[in-house]
Amino acid sequence: MQLSSVGGRLAVVVMVGVVAAACGAGPSTRPDVAVEGGSTGGAVPSSDSAPADAEPLPLEAPITDLNWSDCTARTTGSYGVVAAAGVVVDCATFAAPIDRNVASDGTFELSAVRVRLSSTPADAVPLVYTSGTDRPSAADIAAIAAQPDSSLLATHPIVGVDRRGIGNSAPFDCYSGLSSTRDALFDLGQFSPGTDPADRVATLARDATIACTDFLLPEALIFATTNSADDLEALREAWGVRALSLLGSGNGALVALAYTAAYGDHVARLVLDSPTSVVTDAVSSAEQTVRGEEAALTAFSTRCAAIGCSLGADPRASVVELFRRADAGELAPLSGATVREAVVHLLSYPSSGDSAALIRTASDTVAGALAGNIAALDDTVNLVRSFTETDGHFVSVCTDGQQWPAPDRVRELQSSWAGQYPAFGATAALDLLTCSAWPATTPPPVPSTIGVPVLVLSGTADAITGTEPLPAVTGALGAAGAATTTVTWDGIGHPVTVGSGCGRSAVGSYLASGDLPGGGNACPA
């Protein structure tokens, strides 16, 4: 099937049957997406939210559902988890306009992955989930499928939507053909020629940006949060329902807010789980994240030592030693950047409902690598690469960011952050150069009015977003007239909905009543 545009605009070539068959992660036989010409995109939509005192919209099951097919084993196997008893994962695709402002622009094929119980009623109202650019939504759907507490799924299947070019949504190829650039950029230039790391990464970033903007322009900016919000609206239209119940985690919270800004009269429930910061510059956002990484590593170390894990009395020192060896090239071809990404994944992706299992898996992976067995670490690196080493991820992350710093500023940050944040700081600063050549974009929109109460979830040891963005997010919600309640989880991982049965219970109660929970909003580890 060919989905094409008119007049030389962006064209997407997709074999829908192949995409649906490849709904799990991992190697895919799907054809590439061909891109030609185009129009500008990414404009901030005006707020169209319902009045703050409006009656909550009724929850509706899809009138016309997607063409789902069972993909339980393929999806959970691809992400290294095992589905709990009675849990079913289904895959489907749907088409969304490339640019809703240009009717002739064609459509983009997007992936949807649904998790439910075999006993979940066919007319149950779905909860739409997006993780944005943090990792494919399908990865979190797989992790939810592995959790033993499935009470939420008994009444509300969760439908994850991958952002454009991420996960199993139709891919496009703007610089992956430059394999040396792609791999070197992921490694932050560690094994590239040259003596100055900032110069190496800046050069790689420039080459990737030129390749992608030449390939996509003038449609390089149609991968913004506003476009992702439009894609959710396409799903609502495909279902034929009046409103969606949305859960956005991390970067996906920005997508959920962008949807509320543009389509507020189509929002029945809104949950923001471990949200990233709203409208901030790239340096501030990166520093918030790196503080979260350091805090998560400290929490891991404390709990790891407490349960007698394989890293002994000082697990943090062992992790830092692993980073030192990677930075020195002793774990080549694994770079310092990729090893850090792997550790962040181990500290943030719960593969079961047992928090001790997460700690032991991370501990054993690091201990094995320090002892010379890097097989488990290498597997984790490869999984993280499948999440983030795609052209869609590169373009979306760069489009979302604001005020990317130049090499001189990054060198300053490397020096200062190396002391302030010894495990992750210097590498986090260098990573800012990945998007340094990307065209300036409009900040993601924040709704001026929100017509539903908003449930916010936050973890105390979150290596993806940390906790610092929370006050700015709740402040923006309050300024939009929304009532909010925050439920705090004391566990290690991201997001709360995946890692905490207590958090999922809070979401289920909110979906059922539309009312926010009162008092005592804490979830144990």
Side-chain angles (χ1 to χ4, degrees):
M1 177 176 180
Q2 178 166 307
L3 305 174
S4 60
S5 60
V6 178
R9 303 180 68 80
L10 186 111
V12 183
V13 182
V14 178
M15 294 178 61
V16 177
V18 176
V19 173
C23 206
S28 170
T29 57
R30 295 171 296 180
D32 291 338
V33 172
V35 183
E36 308 166 350
S39 68
T40 57
V44 176
S46 60
S47 178
D48 188 25
S49 298
D53 58 354
E55 287 295 319
L57 294 172
L59 303 184
E60 300 175 88
I63 296 172
T64 305
D65 210 345
L66 305 181
N67 187 23
W68 297 104
S69 62
D70 188 310
C71 58
T72 307
R74 183 172 64 252
T75 302
T76 55
S78 295
Y79 293 110
V81 300
V82 177
V87 175
V88 179
V89 180
D90 303 307
C91 292
T93 60
F94 67 97
I98 291 172
D99 187 340
R100 293 183 73 89
N101 298 318
V102 183
S104 63
D105 225 16
T107 58
F108 209 102
E109 202 74 15
L110 297 173
S111 168
V113 182
R114 178 179 69 181
V115 60
R116 59 183 175 88
L117 300 184
S118 57
S119 59
T120 302
D123 61 351
V125 177
L127 173 63
V128 177
Y129 178 81
T130 173
S131 56
T133 58
D134 294 333
R135 53 194 176 214
S137 297
D140 283 346
I141 294 298
I144 291 171
Q147 307 309 313
D149 168 30
S150 55
S151 58
L152 174 59
L153 302 181
T155 53
H156 295 283
I158 303 176
V159 176
V161 178
D162 286 335
R163 276 185 73 159
R164 299 181 175 197
I166 292 178
N168 290 293
S169 288
F172 62 93
D173 182 357
C174 62
Y175 89 102
S176 286
L178 305 172
S179 59
S180 59
T181 298
R182 179 198 62 205
D183 295 341
L185 192 56
F186 196 82
D187 291 329
L188 294 185
Q190 179 172 340
F191 306 118
S192 301
T195 58
D196 182 79
D199 284 343
R200 292 200 302 264
V201 177
T203 299
L204 292 165
R206 180 202 63 204
D207 293 345
T209 296
I210 290 173
C212 285
T213 52
D214 283 353
F215 189 64
L216 295 171
L217 278 177
E219 275 152 336
L221 304 183
I222 61 162
F223 299 91
T225 55
T226 50
N227 303 109
S228 296
D230 290 342
D231 294 340
L232 298 183
E233 177 66 0
L235 176 61
R236 183 194 68 81
E237 293 172 341
W239 277 343
V241 297
R242 181 180 173 189
L244 298 177
S245 294
L246 292 177
L247 194 166
S249 73
N251 172 265
L254 297 182
V255 175
L257 287 172
Y259 184 87
T260 306
Y263 307 105
D265 53 348
H266 297 316
V267 177
R269 304 284 191 272
L270 180 58
V271 182
L272 304 181
D273 188 340
S274 313
T276 192
S277 191
V278 294
V279 192
T280 188
D281 65 278
V283 171
S284 297
S285 180
E287 188 166 17
Q288 289 177 344
T289 298
V290 79
R291 285 188 186 123
E293 292 170 341
E294 294 280 347
L297 179 57
T298 297
F300 161 77
S301 179
T302 300
R303 299 179 195 190
C304 189
I307 65 173
C309 69
S310 54
L311 289 178
D314 192 353
R316 182 186 178 93
S318 296
V319 173
V320 171
E321 170 62 14
L322 181 70
F323 293 165
R324 185 201 66 76
R325 294 185 189 181
D327 290 339
E330 296 174 20
L331 302 180
L334 301 184
S335 65
T338 56
V339 169
R340 284 173 174 82
E341 290 284 350
V343 169
V344 166
H345 173 81
L346 291 168
L347 298 183
S348 65
Y349 190 72
S351 59
S352 71
D354 183 2
S355 61
L358 179 150
I359 293 170
R360 292 190 186 283
T361 297
S363 171
D364 293 347
T365 300
V366 172
L370 288 172
N373 181 4
I374 66 169
L377 181 63
D378 192 45
D379 287 345
T380 306
V381 167
N382 289 333
L383 181 58
V384 173
R385 284 192 176 224
S386 75
F387 289 178
T388 59
E389 196 179 279
T390 67
D391 294 7
H393 185 268
F394 169 72
V395 170
S396 294
V397 167
C398 293
T399 302
D400 284 354
Q402 305 294 311
Q403 302 174 40
W404 298 102
D408 285 346
R409 174 61 173 146
V410 165
R411 292 185 188 94
E412 295 172 358
L413 292 172
Q414 280 186 283
S415 177
S416 60
W417 286 6
Q420 291 175 271
Y421 317 114
F424 297 98
T427 300
L430 192 61
D431 189 49
L432 284 164
L433 286 172
T434 300
C435 297
S436 57
W438 196 256
T441 56
T442 305
V446 177
S448 59
T449 303
I450 299 178
V452 296
V454 183
L455 176 63
V456 182
L457 307 176
S458 178
T460 60
D462 187 330
I464 301 297
T465 61
T467 59
E468 287 191 27
L470 196 60
V473 172
T474 55
L477 296 174
T484 64
T485 291
T486 299
V487 174
T488 302
W489 174 46
D490 193 37
I492 298 175
H494 172 94
V496 177
T497 306
V498 173
S500 170
C502 169
R504 291 191 294 276
S505 178
V507 172
S509 297
Y510 167 63
L511 291 175
S513 68
D515 297 325
L516 297 172
N521 301 312
C523 288

